[in-house]
Amino acid sequence: MITVLKENTTKQQRDNLIRWFEAQGLKVHISEGEYQTVLGLVGDTSRVDDGLVEALEIVERVTRVTESYKAANRKFHPEDTVVSIGDVKIGGGSFAMIAGPCSVESESQILEIAQSVQKSGAALLRGGAFKPRTSPYDFQGMKAEGLELLLEAKQETGMPIVTEIMNAEHLPLFEGVDVLQIGARNMQNFELLKAVGKTNKPILLKRGLANTLKELLMSAEYIMSEGNGNVILCERGIRTFETYTRNTLDLSAIPALREKTHLPIVVDPSHATGKSSLVESMALAAVAAGADGLMIEVHNDPQNALCDGAQSLTPAQFDKLADKVRKIREVIS
Ligand code: PEP
Ligand code: MN
């Protein structure tokens, strides 16, 4: 971090500031120019509040050289992180597909979908039991009963399960769940992030509706700073002025995150587009752009789905998509 002091700063003011930095465990290099003094801070500056420093009367400006996220930062961890979920690996060249309905609706629904997506090559089964809905009058999920049905589908198929947790108090119910999903609406629910950071389960962290990549990485940092390094990032579209699609899929997030972090990156083209007719193209584009995985909503009866039917693929459509994904992967590998 670099702090540029204003021209009229006295030596005493400068020394006070240096002592304040040193009290925070930082080394300070002073470079005195004709008009300005520049302080170079060396050490762990992640806890320094740059806004506070910049607001000081004697400070002209502050520039960060390293980002405030450390654990998620590729600079400090150059190798790709590979997250293992049973035998399934995501990241570092390993690719996995997560598929299943938006919500668990019944035993026959989840079992039928699980078996079909598994046949098509999905490695993980998704399904919401606790649903974050915009309207309190919409279907809120089957809750604990939905989790039971997911566990049954896991037992039947052997597929690890991915499902959203909205409240840290529910953690005991999620014991048999393999991957905890943090939904877009909870990306900055910091207490929830800290709570899942204390578990040893892989976390699928979805990007918030209007959050920057830096904010996504800071949220990953919340989880990792509690000791859980098994974080998978998920780009699921962001809100823009376009309304034709449910969200706008930020494909550049894939190579951009790749530069900034070692964590695996999964793309969810279902919530990104909101339209089943657009899901395949965006899934293939994401794979071509280097995604480590896909998360796709699949329903055996989309027209009668209790949630997100418009964006859900049928098992047959998913099968076709999975085939094309394999071909794209062959081309880019
Ligand atoms: C979901 O995956 O079912 C979901 C609610 O996604 P998001 O949090 O990305 O909206
Ligand atoms: Mn959904």
Side-chain angles (χ1 to χ4, degrees), residues 81 83 197 199 201 223-232 262-264:
T81 283
V83 174
T199 72
K201 288 188 190 291
I223 300 168
M224 300 174 88
S225 64
E226 295 294 333
N228 188 349
N230 292 311
V231 179
I232 302 162
H262 50 88
L263 297 173

Side-chain angles (χ1 to χ4, degrees), residues 26-314:
L26 300 166
K27 280 211 175 82
V28 183
H29 287 284
I30 309 167
S31 139
E32 248 170 312
E34 200 174 335
Y35 301 108
Q36 273 178 325
T37 300
V38 176
L39 305 180
L41 308 186
V42 184
D44 182 4
T45 57
S46 58
R47 285 172 206 275
V48 178
D49 181 346
D50 26 344
L52 182 71
V53 178
E54 202 148 43
L56 296 173
E57 205 188 321
I58 58 167
V59 172
E60 173 94 28
R61 66 176 182 279
V62 174
T63 310
R64 272 198 181 274
V65 181
T66 45
E67 297 87 351
S68 34
Y69 50 95
K70 285 260 173 310
N73 199 325
R74 193 181 275 286
K75 267 189 203 135
F76 307 111
H77 188 297
E79 311 80 40
D80 288 339
T81 283
V82 182
V83 174
S84 297
I85 308 135
D87 295 336
V88 181
K89 289 191 181 354
I90 303 186
S94 295
F95 178 90
M97 275 191 293
I98 308 166
C102 179
S103 305
V104 180
E105 298 172 10
S106 69
E107 186 183 40
S108 58
Q109 176 242 22
I110 192 69
L111 284 179
E112 193 180 317
I113 297 171
Q115 279 154 355
S116 61
V117 297
Q118 184 176 40
K119 254 193 235 132
S120 301
L124 299 148
L125 175 67
R126 66 149 284 151
F130 290 86
K131 294 302 302 177
R133 304 302 302 277
T134 300
S135 167
Y137 307 118
D138 285 341
F139 176 59
Q140 303 287 305
M142 290 183 78
K143 305 195 170 84
E145 202 188 336
L147 292 179
E148 289 299 321
L149 295 180
L150 276 172
L151 290 172
E152 201 184 313
K154 172 181 168 175
Q155 193 143 36
E156 282 290 317
T157 59
M159 286 172 103
I161 54 178
V162 184
T163 192
E164 178 164 354
I165 181 160
M166 296 204 293
N167 184 337
E169 284 173 17
H170 295 163
L171 267 170
L173 292 174
F174 284 68
E175 212 172 317
V177 170
D178 300 280
V179 180
L180 302 176
Q181 177 173 326
I182 300 294
R185 289 153 194 82
N186 272 317
M187 189 203 88
Q188 287 191 316
N189 181 339
F190 301 118
E191 292 305 316
L192 181 60
L193 298 178
K194 284 192 268 183
V196 299
K198 289 189 178 82
T199 72
N200 57 6
K201 288 188 190 291
I203 310 295
L204 182 86
L205 176 64
K206 297 189 95 175
R207 182 179 183 180
L209 280 74
N211 285 109
T212 63
L213 296 180
K214 185 178 170 200
E215 286 163 344
L216 172 63
L217 291 170
M218 290 309 297
S219 290
E221 194 78 12
Y222 260 94
I223 300 168
M224 300 174 88
S225 64
E226 295 294 333
N228 188 349
N230 292 311
V231 179
I232 302 162
L233 303 173
C234 180
E235 162 60 36
R236 45 77 73 204
I238 48 174
R239 184 160 288 184
T240 66
F241 53 81
E242 182 56 71
T243 54
Y244 182 72
T245 46
R246 185 174 179 182
N247 291 288
T248 297
L249 180 60
D250 179 8
L251 278 176
S252 62
I254 307 161
L257 286 169
R258 186 75 72 217
E259 286 177 2
K260 293 293 190 188
T261 183
H262 50 88
L263 297 173
I265 305 151
V266 161
V267 171
D268 168 355
S270 306
H271 291 88
T273 60
K275 287 181 161 69
S276 59
S277 63
L278 307 180
V279 168
E280 183 184 286
S281 307
M282 290 299 94
L284 299 179
V287 174
D292 299 300
L294 289 171
M295 167 130 147
I296 313 265
E297 284 189 347
V298 179
H299 200 286
N300 51 354
D301 183 10
Q303 276 182 3
N304 292 304
L306 294 180
C307 183
D308 288 350
Q311 67 194 34
S312 298
L313 299 187
T314 61

